[in-house]
Each structure stands twice: as structure tokens, then as C-alpha cells.
Amino acid sequence: MQKQFLVIFVIVAASMLGMESFAEESVTAESEILFVRRIGPLLREKCLGCHGNDPDAIEGSLDVRSMSGLLAGGDSGEPSIVSGKFDDSPLYLAATRFSDDWSEMPPKESEQLTAEQLAWLRDWIASGAVWPDQTRRNEIESEYEKEWSVEDGTAVKTAGGLDVDWTNRKYDPAGLWAYQPVTRPSLPASPGSVEGKATVDPIDLLIEQALSDGIKVAPRADRRTLIRRATFDLTGLPPTPREVEAFLSDRSPDRAAFARVVDRLLDSPHYGERMAQHWLDVVRYADSSGFANDFERGNAWRYRDYVIRSFNDDKPYNEFIREQIAGDEIDPNDPGKVVATGFLRMGPWELTGMEVAKLARQRFLDDVTNSIGETFLGHSLQCARCHDHKFDPVPTRDYYSIQAVFATTQLVDRPAGFLPQENTDDFGEKAYLLQVKRQHSRTTEELNAVLVKNAENWWKENHGSSDAWQTAIEQAKHKGKGQLFTVAREILRKQGFTETQLPPKLECFTPEQFGKERVAVKGLQRLTWELDRYRPFALAVYNGHTPKMSSVTKPMRMPDDVSKGELESTCILNGGDPFAPGENVMPDTLSVIDEYVSAEIPDSIDGRRKAFADWVADPGNPLTTRVIVNRLWQWQFGRAIAGNPNNFGSTGARPTHPVLLDWLAATFVEDDWSIKTMNRRIVMSDAYCRSTQYKREPGMVEPESVEPESVEPESVEPGMDRDSLAHASRLYAVFKPRRLSAEELRDAMLKLTGELNSVVGGIPCRPEINQEVALQPRQVMGSFASAWVPNPQPERRNRRSIYVLKLRGLVDPLLEVFNSPSPDFSCERRESSTVTPQVFSLFNGQNTHTRALSLANRATNETENDHEALALCFRLALARSPTVDEMSGLLAHWDKMTELLPVNATPPDPQPLKVVREAVEENTGEQFVFEEELFSNRDYVPDRQASDCDRRTRALADVCLVILNSNEFVYLY
């Protein structure tokens, strides 16, 4: 019996010991798993930066790279981890930020651990704080890889980050949508078909498929609304009364009649101008270089016109890409392709004597790398310049590999003959610049004569005789180059005279002479850039070694020897610092999509950009086609499918209709990359043709969140709330109204008054702008820029806004107040703010008053009576006739204004012929005064003025001013 009891006791004891052992093993396994999945990455993310990444600079002596380091503790000498006791563990207590004994960690409040992360740390310590070795960690990761990828994200294969943790980082699969291959989705079943073809447009089928339950679509917009909407969207101009009447009287079914309108608009030369305006926003087009000098880029207009022609000619988009990135490599003898590479030069750039040339060079490389990413790939690559991208699978290695593509790309104003289709008709205005040049030259000659005489006196005082100086002057005259004073000094220097033995520069100049000399010299320098506008050169690039330069003060020409200089090799720049080179890299592409499209980029001087452009334009590139169709959709609807066209990464807005986006991208390639074909598909869809008026249906699902200010009050029906309308708008159940852009407002006014010069292309024009702004002293490095002087002839200055001279340092207030974007940064989508200065500009501004007067003059000249005149104003501005109430009210107002106005209007002040500038001269610190002559104002022909019109016409202009300020004119519905 005792023996039997002993056996039972031994078995029970053994079982209990086994259970305890199993429990211990279970806890240990749980702690190991928790470390691998949570604690290890948490320590790397939050702690290693200060406590281990740099073994020679470990803060507080606490090393978190190993368990031994944690147990050793820091300066306090206490272990930072007490196994099983999180309340006694300094590491945990510091992370809670509530302990009086331990400093808050991480120190920055913005980086503090979340409640969930604190729970992980607590549970790990409580479970024994097991730190498995590398072999065990690999086993655990392999065992749980599939399970964890669902919850924690998925790993992405790239070229590899700067550290192994970034390389192995996990991503939310939903945020990787843009890197997946584009596949043409199958369409949902159509309600019906005719001869085997769906009766519903594929775009509408896919939008209908995504509609929420209870959402009904708005009816089709009426024909007047549609032709005004489509004409502005496709040409940026209003329809003429004749075009409206033709559409209204077309007895064909709505779709067939509208198709004829769309085809006519796509064939219009103004289509290219409208599309180009969108594109130039993205690429940051400007006619000046920005920064301290803001030198004009005299021949940038040729790139602008290349873009307009490309859209008008429906150049395939893949070809459009290749030409802008590598046109000179594709065919260096084709001026058009050379001009296309102006895209690479669109960013602000300069090199002054006060800057390190290497920094200026790096600024170009950084700029062009990021511009390529934002424009074509929907990625802001600059986020990976200093470190691996924080959110997207774009390693720093990829950033510099793409930059290596441009390491042999050099800046140049390159010979490129004018093409027959380029507009060179207005080159006559070059004469005014030559007048300015002659004036500056006379000033420098006069001052040089003073300087020579002052130097002669100085030589007598310091050397006793001026014979040596006089001899040098005679020798300088025979050379015939440069200023006599400067050349004579150089001759004497070569003869052995030291600097102290030579007359000082600008010897005995008065403050006024100092100032005028600086203004003249700087003016001549700036004119070299402006005069390039009329020469057959292109803002472009070439391949070769990087030339040695200390400053750039005139247009750069092709060197005689492109192999002279440094052959750059690209490396990863630590922290983005050009003076902290790291690992060398070879030219390459975005590695995250290597699986779908890869490229072999040569490391030779030539051919890098062409190979890279072929990769960008490859139909298998999942980013390129999605990016452009997303932009085209936004340009028609005012809202992109993926809300950030420049950012397809995880921080950008995800597509609201991903299936539709992929269908558009796949179809775009099938249509031979035709922009016009895609435009036609979008504009012909029922979604585009919907009304902006919308009534909420019973049972409509309430929206969860609403875009602020996403709809206009005028489109809200009685009983319909803004939130529901915004929700329906996001689903494309109703068309979203939009305000005309700054350029459309100006161009539309000129068009309806009959003043618009509709010739396509040509050098920039200078319209009238607010005179205070035009004549304000604009400081540039060491001097003043020229005043803004309008073109003297109305037909030259009243051109479309895309042709307005776009200076980075001087913005037209009318365009600026209505959200015309800055050319310093890529504009993925125009804002549409509503601010008080817009009222002052549109209702009180001289431009609108002049246009109102011209509209009134046209109406009275082209009609027989007051009723007809008012009706014509309405048809021109609003594409409709006035109602009975509008007619009677406006006629009464017209009569009243006629009584109030004087019989004759006061003539305006003439344009100023000169402007007086006052400045402090930098050499002496004293004030000086100089006059700037405005030569072209001598030939100035004003637009129609009030003094040119009778009282009745001026009274009608007041009515026209009201029409031009109406929401119906300013907005598209």
C-alpha cells in the first residue's frame, strides 16, 4: 500500500513539475515572440538614435543594442530592466513619463510612446524580458511571417535602405496601391446593349458601381450650361453667342449634338493653350530664374509654345515624356526636341560669386530629380534625399541613383533654329530694349571717361608723372575691348605694378556716380538675358563634364570642349550634404517597381537620360499612366480620383475610385497614349454632363465626413443640405461647380469685349497691371530691376494670360489674388480661396472697369436699341438672354446712371515716360537719385477710355461691371 502511494505521489509530482516547466516555456516563447514582433522594432525606432547607433556617442551611457547593455544600465548604475517587474524597471518608468525618479523618454513629447506601445513594453518585462539570439529571431520571423503581414503590413523589395531595419520595414498593403501593375478591370454588367455594345459608357458604369446605397444621380445639365462648361474646360474661353445658338438649334439627340461640340473644341488651337496652362502649373514654368538676381530667361517662351503645340498636335504622351527628359539625346539636330528639354530647366536656379559652385550644382540636381518624380511618377522624391523615405518604399539609394542619371547633364542656352510653326511676329519690340542698352552704354562711357581722368590725377599725385598711365590708356584703346580704365589697369598689372601702385577702382566717384555706374553695369548685364528672347537659342541642356564656374551673369553657351571639367560620379550624400559623400551609386530607377518595369541605364556620358525616359514612358510602368490620367480627370472635374496628383505615396489621398483609375490608365495606353482621346472620353461621360443642381432623395445615406467648402451655395436646392451635396459630388452623382481660374477670368473678359488677340504662341506679353506695382523699385542683387512697362500696342498686351511675362520676383496682382500659383513649387491642384481683396480687384480694379467699358461700347455699336444692347451683353458674358425682371431692372439702373454721370469724362493721366528712383549707395552709404526712362511708353496706345465714350455708353459700362462680377459669370455650373 505504501509502495503504491509512493508511486502515485511520484507521478503527480512529476506531472506538476512538467506543467510548471511547460508554463515557463510558454511564457518564455510569448516573451520572445513579443520581442521580435514589437519590442525590437520599438527600441530601434525610439531609442537607438541616441543609445546605440553611434557607439562612441551613447547618451547617458545607456546602450540598448543588447540585453547586456540594458542590464548594465546607464549613468545611474541601475539595471534598466528588472525581469518580471515592470514597475521597478527604469526603462518602463521613463517611458510612462510619470516617474519623478527618471527622465522622460523619448525626450520629445511628439515621440512619446503610445498607450499600446507602453502595454507591449510592460507585457514584455512582465513575461521575463526575453531577448532571443539572432538565430531564434529568424526562426520566429519565418514562422509568423504570413500571420503578421496581415496585421502589421507587408515587406517590399527595394534596392535596400541605409540600414537593415528600414530595408525590412513593413507597409500597409492599402498604401502600396500605386506600385501594383495596371490591369484593365472587367466592367460591370450594362443595363442594356445594342448590337453587342454596352449602351452605358464604361466610365459611368464604374462610377455607378461605386455609388452608395440610396444615392441618385443628378439629371443631365441643359445645353447652355454644358457648352459653357465644356468650352471653358477645353479652351479656357467662353463660347460665342453664335456657338451657343448653333448647339441649341441642333436637333440631334443630346449626346450626338454635344459630341460635335466636343470635337470642335478639341480641334481648336486654344485647346492646346488650356491644357498647357495646366501642365505649366505642374512643371513650374516661369520667364525668370528667381533668387537674388531673378534674371529673365529670354528663350523660356519656346518651351511654353512647345507644350502648346504638343497638346494641339495630340503628341502621344509617351513621346511627350521622352522629348522633355531626353529630346537632345533622341535627336540633337531637331530644334523642337532640344527646346523640349527646357522642362529640365524650369526650377529656380542661379550661381552668383557669393555662392559655392558645388552647392549651386547640387541644387540643380536635387531640383531635377524631384521634378521628375512629382511630374511623371507622382512621388516627391526629395523626401528621400537625406534619409530613406519615412513613409514610402523609396530608399535614399534610389534617390541618388535617379540623380546619377543627370550627373552628366549640363545647363546651356543651346543653338536651336526657329521652327516654321513658331510665332516670331512680335520681334519688333526688341528696338525698345536696344534703346535701353544704348542709354546704359552711354552712362558707362561717360563714367569711364570720368574715371580715366580721376585715375590720371591720382597717378600724378602718387607717381609724380602720368606718363605710364597715359601709355596704358593708349594701348587699351588699340585693344578696343572693355572699359579703358579696367583694361589699362590690367595692362599695368601685367607690367609688374602691384595693387597698391594702381589707381583704386571707381577712383573719386561721387555717391551718385557710384550708384549710376552700378545701375548701368547691372542693367547691361540683365539685358544680355532679355535680348536672348529674339535669338535662335533654347533653354536646354547638353551632356558632358561639369565645367568650372564661379558665377553665371549671362546666358550659357555650348563649350568648345564638353570633356573639359569634372566628370561627376554620384554618391549618396550623408544628410543630403554635398560635402559629406558616402557610398557610390550607379544610374538607376525606382527599385520598388523593378518587378514590373526595369531598365539598364548606361554609365556613359551620353544615353543616360534616354534610357531613363524610356523607363518612365514604358507602358508597364504602373505610376506613369496612373499619374497622367489622374491629372486629366482633375483638369475636367476639378477633383482628382487620387486626391494628391503629385503624391501617390502613403501620405497622399488614396483613390476614391481605384477601379476607374486603372480602367482609364489601361485604356489610355490602348488609345496610343492620346490625350485628346482621353479628354473626349471623360467629357462625353454622363458624369461630366450632370447638372450641379441636386435634390436629396428619401433614404439617402448620411455622409460620414464632408469636405469643407467643397460646394457653392448657389447649387444647393431648397431642402438640400451642403453636406449631402458634397457627399454626392465626391461620388460624381452631381457635377461640382468651380470658379474660373485667374487666367480664365482675364481671358474671358478680353474675349467677350472683342479685344483679345487670339494668335497662338510668341514671345511674352506685358499687360497693364496696377501702376504702383509696375513702377515699384524691385531690388535685385546690387541694383534694381527694370520697371514693368506694358506693351505699347493694345493687340500685343491683350493676349491670353498664358503668354504674360511670368517673373518670379514680380507677380500680376490680378492673377495672384485669384490663386495663380507661384512658379517656385509644382502646383498639383489650384486652390480657390475667397478673400476680400478679390472684391477690390474684380469690382474696383482698373482692368475690370476697362473691360466693362469695352463691353458696353461693343454692345452699343453692334445693336440698334437698349434692349438689344443688354441682351447682347448677357449672351456674350452668360451665354443666355436676360429674364424680363433682369431686363427691366437693369434698364432702370442704366437710365439712373446716365442721369448721374457727367456729360464728359475726365481724360486719364498719360503713361509716365520716366520714373525717379532713390536708393542708398552701398559703397558710401549715402543716398543717390537716378531716372529710369520708359522708352516704350512714348508709343503707348491706351485701351478704350471713359473719355472716348458718350455718357450713355459709360452708364451701360456700370451695368456691365455688375454682370462681370456676378457669380454666373465668375463660376462654371
Side-chain angles (χ1 to χ4, degrees):
M1 185 68 178
Q2 290 179 343
K3 187 174 181 180
Q4 185 179 11
F5 174 79
L6 181 61
V7 171
I8 294 173
F9 175 79
V10 170
I11 293 173
V12 171
S15 298
M16 292 179 66
L17 287 172
M19 291 176 65
E20 289 179 5
S21 176
F22 176 78
E24 289 177 2
E25 290 177 2
S26 178
V27 170
T28 298
E30 180 183 329
S31 187
E32 286 181 327
I33 294 170
L34 188 56
F35 177 87
V36 174
R37 187 179 187 187
R38 304 296 188 194
I39 304 305
L42 188 63
L43 291 175
R44 289 191 291 270
E45 177 187 355
K46 299 289 187 179
C47 308
L48 270 180
C50 299
H51 300 283
N53 272 348
D54 186 352
D56 298 325
I58 293 178
E59 296 189 16
S61 302
L62 177 62
D63 188 347
V64 302
R65 290 177 296 169
S66 63
M67 178 57 78
S68 60
L70 290 177
L71 294 177
D75 292 339
S76 68
E78 295 186 36
S80 60
I81 291 289
V82 179
S83 179
K85 299 178 180 180
F86 58 86
D87 283 337
D88 294 333
S89 298
L91 183 67
Y92 176 77
L93 295 174
T96 64
R97 310 178 80 83
F98 295 126
S99 173
D100 295 331
D101 299 326
W102 303 99
S103 300
E104 296 176 347
M105 289 292 162
K108 294 181 181 179
E109 188 174 348
S110 61
E111 296 179 358
Q112 64 180 308
L113 270 60
T114 64
E116 184 179 34
Q117 290 170 332
L118 282 172
W120 295 340
L121 184 59
R122 182 190 61 222
D123 293 346
W124 178 62
I125 296 173
S127 64
V130 179
W131 187 308
D133 59 28
Q134 186 62 54
T135 301
R136 178 60 180 147
R137 292 202 296 272
N138 293 341
E139 292 174 355
I140 293 172
E141 288 175 349
S142 177
E143 181 179 353
Y144 290 93
E145 180 180 5
K146 290 185 179 179
E147 178 183 337
W148 290 351
S149 66
V150 175
E151 300 176 18
D152 299 341
T154 183
V156 176
K157 184 180 179 181
T158 67
L162 299 180
D163 65 76
V164 67
D165 296 322
W166 187 93
T167 303
N168 296 327
R169 189 170 66 175
K170 304 294 179 63
Y171 299 87
D172 178 1
L176 303 174
W177 64 271
Y179 309 116
Q180 308 310 310
V182 173
T183 55
R184 183 182 179 88
S186 57
L187 296 174
S190 173
S193 61
V194 176
E195 297 180 357
K197 295 183 178 179
T199 58
V200 180
D201 186 282
I203 291 175
D204 295 309
L205 281 173
L206 293 169
I207 286 176
E208 182 180 344
Q209 185 183 45
L211 286 176
S212 305
D213 292 338
I215 293 286
K216 302 296 183 182
V217 300
R220 187 178 181 87
D222 63 77
R223 287 194 177 190
R224 290 185 192 277
T225 300
L226 269 184
I227 190 170
R228 190 169 191 267
R229 181 190 298 173
T231 306
F232 268 109
D233 278 348
L234 293 177
T235 69
L237 295 170
T240 65
R242 181 177 296 178
E243 290 166 347
V244 174
E245 186 58 36
F247 184 39
L248 294 180
S249 60
D250 190 333
R251 296 187 178 184
S252 304
D254 279 350
R255 283 187 61 84
F258 187 55
R260 280 191 281 275
V261 170
V262 172
D263 288 342
R264 172 177 58 79
L265 295 173
L266 291 174
D267 287 339
S268 166
H270 303 306
Y271 164 82
E273 294 171 325
R274 176 61 177 159
M275 293 298 108
Q277 186 69 71
H278 291 304
W279 185 259
L280 298 180
D281 281 357
V282 176
V283 303
R284 306 162 299 159
Y285 175 84
D287 292 296
S288 68
S289 60
F291 294 121
N293 279 299
D294 200 28
F295 286 129
E296 287 194 28
R297 290 174 169 170
N299 39 47
W301 65 272
R302 299 186 66 189
Y303 170 74
R304 175 247 290 153
D305 285 4
Y306 159 82
V307 174
I308 294 172
R309 289 195 305 273
S310 295
F311 281 111
N312 275 335
D313 296 342
D314 199 20
K315 186 187 294 284
Y317 183 65
N318 55 348
E319 184 179 340
F320 188 53
I321 293 171
R322 291 187 180 99
E323 289 180 352
Q324 291 180 86
I325 297 176
D328 60 313
E329 291 190 347
I330 295 171
D331 186 354
N333 297 315
D334 183 341
K337 288 183 172 56
V338 172
V339 168
T341 62
F343 162 77
L344 303 174
R345 300 285 308 279
M346 284 297 106
W349 187 86
E350 73 173 3
L351 173 59
T352 72
M354 301 174 66
E355 184 177 21
V356 177
K358 190 177 184 68
L359 292 176
R361 172 65 179 170
Q362 187 59 43
R363 189 168 64 246
F364 163 73
L365 292 172
D366 287 333
D367 179 271
V368 75
T369 303
N370 191 62
S371 181
I372 289 283
E374 289 186 331
T375 303
F376 300 116
L377 305 175
H379 273 65
S380 183
L381 296 178
Q382 64 183 357
C383 297
R385 180 172 68 92
C386 302
H387 48 70
D388 296 316
H389 202 293
K390 287 187 175 182
F391 307 105
D392 300 330
V394 179
T396 297
R397 182 171 286 101
D398 279 8
Y399 176 85
Y400 287 103
S401 293
I402 292 175
Q403 192 167 107
V405 171
F406 303 95
T408 59
T409 300
Q410 311 301 336
L411 313 185
V412 70
D413 295 274
R414 186 169 180 164
F418 290 118
L419 298 168
Q421 57 268 44
E422 287 185 292
N423 178 6
T424 59
D425 292 343
D426 296 308
F427 279 17
E429 291 204 2
K430 177 182 177 181
Y432 297 117
L433 291 181
L434 294 178
Q435 285 182 287
V436 177
K437 183 178 181 180
R438 285 193 290 270
Q439 183 188 52
H440 286 323
S441 297
R442 281 196 304 269
T443 300
T444 57
E445 289 171 5
E446 291 168 0
L447 292 174
N448 191 50
V450 172
L451 198 55
V452 169
K453 184 63 178 177
N454 291 346
E456 182 180 348
N457 294 334
W458 180 93
W459 201 276
K460 289 179 180 178
E461 293 176 7
N462 289 272
H463 294 280
S465 170
S466 62
D467 291 347
W469 176 253
Q470 292 288 0
T471 301
I473 288 293
E474 290 302 318
Q475 292 174 354
K477 289 179 179 178
H478 283 96
K479 286 196 172 186
K481 291 183 179 179
Q483 293 183 341
L484 288 178
F485 175 84
T486 303
V487 176
R489 279 182 103 254
E490 187 60 29
I491 289 171
L492 291 169
R493 186 194 305 279
K494 291 180 179 179
Q495 292 176 4
F497 285 88
T498 65
E499 186 66 29
T500 58
Q501 293 175 313
L502 296 173
K505 296 177 181 178
L506 307 182
E507 166 64 14
C508 293
F509 264 12
T510 65
E512 184 174 346
Q513 289 170 334
F514 270 119
K516 288 184 175 180
E517 191 271 345
R518 177 61 62 90
V519 170
V521 170
K522 195 73 175 182
L524 288 170
Q525 187 183 88
R526 298 182 68 80
L527 280 169
T528 61
W529 300 86
E530 296 176 47
L531 288 168
D532 236 27
R533 184 176 299 140
Y534 310 98
R535 298 175 180 135
F537 287 89
L539 186 74
V541 295
Y542 72 92
N543 292 329
H545 293 212
T546 303
K548 185 177 181 180
M549 297 183 293
S550 58
S551 65
V552 176
T553 57
K554 61 182 180 180
M556 296 174 285
R557 301 303 190 214
M558 285 288 291
D560 295 330
D561 184 0
V562 298
S563 64
K564 188 176 181 180
E566 176 190 0
L567 179 58
E568 294 185 33
S569 61
T570 306
C571 58
I572 294 173
L573 302 180
N574 296 315
D577 184 353
F579 299 101
E583 174 190 344
N584 284 334
V585 295
M586 298 297 288
D588 213 331
T589 60
L590 275 183
S591 58
V592 66
I593 55 176
D594 270 350
E595 181 180 353
Y596 311 116
V597 55
S598 59
E600 293 294 330
I601 312 290
D603 62 353
S604 56
I605 292 178
D606 295 311
R608 300 186 188 193
R609 285 183 284 115
K610 183 179 182 300
F612 180 77
D614 289 341
W615 172 82
V616 174
D618 191 298
N621 192 317
L623 296 171
T624 306
T625 50
R626 284 191 179 108
V627 167
I628 187 57
V629 297
N630 190 56
R631 293 194 195 280
L632 293 174
W633 186 271
Q634 176 181 271
W635 296 348
Q636 307 307 321
F637 281 94
R639 174 192 290 115
I641 297 174
N644 295 103
N646 281 4
N647 182 7
F648 274 20
S650 58
T651 58
R654 293 175 187 172
T656 55
H657 295 68
V659 179
L660 172 60
L661 183 63
D662 272 20
W663 184 87
L664 293 171
T667 303
F668 182 62
V669 175
E670 292 173 3
D671 288 337
D672 297 323
W673 302 75
S674 168
I675 298 285
K676 284 189 176 182
T677 301
M678 182 53 63
N679 274 145
R680 193 180 194 281
R681 288 183 181 277
I682 292 172
V683 174
M684 286 301 299
S685 69
D686 288 341
Y688 179 82
C689 295
R690 298 200 215 286
S691 170
T692 58
Q693 304 298 314
Y694 193 73
K695 292 183 178 180
R696 182 175 178 182
E697 299 290 335
M700 181 185 289
V701 177
E702 292 288 343
E704 295 180 3
S705 61
V706 178
E707 257 179 47
E709 301 181 0
S710 57
V711 295
E712 299 304 320
E714 292 74 15
S715 61
V716 182
E717 288 276 354
M720 179 68 182
D721 60 277
R722 278 175 75 92
D723 289 357
S724 296
L725 182 58
H727 181 57
S729 174
R730 284 195 300 276
L731 295 172
Y732 304 105
V734 61
F735 193 83
K736 179 184 176 182
R738 72 169 177 87
R739 193 186 68 203
L740 297 179
S741 67
E743 292 83 358
E744 286 173 302
L745 279 171
R746 178 180 173 274
D747 295 353
M749 290 185 197
L750 288 170
K751 175 71 181 292
L752 59 91
T753 64
E755 298 170 287
L756 181 68
N757 177 353
S758 59
V759 173
V760 175
I763 62 174
C765 67
R766 299 181 309 280
E768 287 190 83
I769 66 173
N770 179 280
Q771 195 166 95
E772 289 185 11
V773 176
L775 301 181
Q776 68 182 354
R778 187 162 68 94
Q779 199 79 38
V780 292
M781 183 174 282
S783 186
F784 294 94
S786 302
W788 178 281
V789 183
N791 296 106
Q793 301 300 318
E795 62 272 17
R796 274 291 301 130
R797 61 178 177 265
N798 292 334
R799 303 195 64 210
R800 293 203 64 176
S801 300
I802 194 171
Y803 302 117
V804 171
L805 183 68
K806 192 162 190 174
L807 303 178
R808 285 187 158 94
L810 178 62
V811 183
D812 182 346
L814 172 66
L815 300 181
E816 182 179 33
V817 77
F818 283 100
N819 306 112
S820 182
S822 164
D824 289 340
F825 304 97
S826 175
C827 177
E828 64 178 9
R829 182 186 66 182
R830 290 214 180 182
E831 299 299 326
S832 184
S833 65
T834 303
V835 294
T836 304
Q838 292 168 348
V839 177
F840 300 139
S841 180
L842 201 58
F843 204 85
N844 298 343
Q846 183 59 51
N847 178 72
T848 315
H849 276 261
T850 302
R851 301 290 82 78
L853 187 67
S854 296
L855 177 57
N857 184 71
R858 176 181 181 180
T860 55
N861 285 341
E862 295 183 8
T863 58
E864 299 297 329
N865 55 58
D866 293 353
H867 283 76
E868 290 181 2
L870 270 177
L872 178 58
C873 291
F874 266 69
R875 290 199 303 275
L876 288 167
L878 308 179
R880 68 173 178 86
S881 297
T883 65
V884 174
D885 289 343
E886 288 170 336
M887 179 65 79
S888 61
L890 291 176
L891 283 172
H893 181 70
W894 188 358
D895 291 338
K896 183 176 181 180
M897 289 305 302
T898 304
E899 295 175 4
L900 294 175
L901 290 174
V903 175
N904 296 309
T906 303
D909 294 332
Q911 285 285 327
L913 299 181
K914 60 180 62 178
V915 58
V916 177
R917 306 286 193 204
E918 294 183 3
V920 174
E921 201 286 308
E922 63 182 29
N923 289 284
T924 63
E926 297 184 36
Q927 192 173 37
F928 76 100
V929 177
F930 73 96
E931 291 183 346
E932 178 185 352
E933 289 200 55
L934 311 178
F935 292 103
S936 64
N937 276 351
R938 296 174 182 175
D939 301 326
Y940 179 79
V941 178
D943 292 328
R944 184 166 300 280
Q945 301 295 317
S947 56
D948 301 328
C949 304
D950 60 32
R951 179 164 57 175
R952 190 65 176 163
T953 302
R954 286 183 277 121
L956 177 57
D958 197 75
V959 176
C960 293
L961 186 65
V962 174
I963 295 173
L964 296 180
N965 275 269
S966 66
N967 275 346
E968 192 174 353
F969 174 72
V970 174
Y971 283 85
L972 277 186
Y973 294 100

